[in-house]
Amino acid sequence: IRDGAFLDLILVDSFLQRITPLPALSALLIEAIPGPFQSVLKNPHTPFETLEGEAQIENQRVLVRPLQLWSEHFSLQAEGVASFQGEFDFLAQLVLREELAAYLIGRVNELSLLSNAEKQIAIPFLYRGRWPEARPRPDLAYIGKKLIASQGRRLMELVTSQILGESEEGGTS
């Protein structure tokens, strides 16, 4: 971390590449990226505005609980351990704020299945390994549950409308 940025890490893009099977996601997202999001998806570093946390150093390791990072378009909450040898073991959650989430959902509609009531995309992940090879790994169980819940809700709405004899627009047939 230097000068308000994670160096050599495009955190949001790195994370997005791991939550979708679309091989061309980068091209879809970066193709004509609006100016406000370039610092998040195109910059080789991850800039942030505020970083707060508590740390304890012992046995050549830094224990961090909690770490909170805020940026204009996303936030990150994390806790874990970093060794002086460059090993990381963190549990975290990345929250893409409403404006960025809307842009991403507009480009890749499937991401809407991961949005919350605040119209944000919030996904927990692990950051483990040795720097610089360590990369975020999303919680695939959480993503699976969100996808199943979204599809289940859609199916229930369809079945309910058929049972009640309502058209999909909400009127009576």
Side-chain angles (χ1 to χ4, degrees):
I1 298 175
R2 185 179 302 143
D3 298 325
F6 284 112
L7 301 181
D8 301 319
L9 174 64
I10 308 173
L11 183 68
V12 174
D13 183 59
S14 178
F15 184 78
L16 289 172
Q17 292 302 323
R18 286 162 176 76
I19 65 170
T20 179
L22 298 174
L25 182 62
S26 277
L28 284 172
L29 297 177
I30 295 176
E31 181 180 295
I33 190 167
F37 305 129
Q38 288 189 8
S39 67
V40 177
L41 298 171
K42 241 181 158 178
N43 190 338
H45 311 298
T46 300
F48 55 86
E49 297 162 3
T50 305
L51 176 65
E52 293 179 0
E54 294 181 21
Q56 180 179 350
I57 299 174
E58 61 180 45
N59 301 326
Q60 297 188 356
R61 301 179 329 155
V62 179
L63 280 59
V64 179
R65 289 196 176 89
L67 172 72
Q68 298 178 326
L69 177 145
W70 290 275
S71 172
E72 181 181 0
H73 299 294
F74 70 93
S75 65
L76 175 77
Q77 297 82 39
E79 60 180 54
V81 178
S83 76
F84 289 2
Q85 293 77 31
E87 294 286 334
F88 291 91
D89 187 0
F90 280 86
L91 175 61
Q93 178 170 285
L94 179 68
V95 178
L96 306 178
R97 297 201 178 158
E98 186 177 343
E99 189 177 61
L100 176 58
Y103 167 74
L104 295 174
I105 290 168
R107 302 292 290 174
V108 181
N109 188 52
E110 291 78 9
L111 291 174
S112 67
L113 300 174
L114 302 175
S115 65
N116 60 22
E118 291 81 30
K119 299 182 182 178
Q120 300 173 333
I121 297 174
I123 302 175
F125 68 96
L126 300 173
Y127 187 77
R128 289 187 175 145
R130 181 177 276 291
W131 189 85
E133 291 84 24
R135 295 289 179 255
R137 290 178 181 78
D139 182 340
L140 297 178
Y142 172 84
I143 293 170
K145 288 176 189 173
K146 286 286 284 185
L147 295 176
I148 289 168
S150 296
Q151 291 303 316
R153 185 172 35 256
R154 187 174 159 271
L155 183 58
M156 285 302 294
E157 289 169 356
L158 179 63
V159 169
T160 303
S161 69
Q162 288 179 350
I163 290 171
L164 298 176
E166 296 177 355
S167 68
E168 286 191 34
E169 289 81 32
T172 307
S173 51

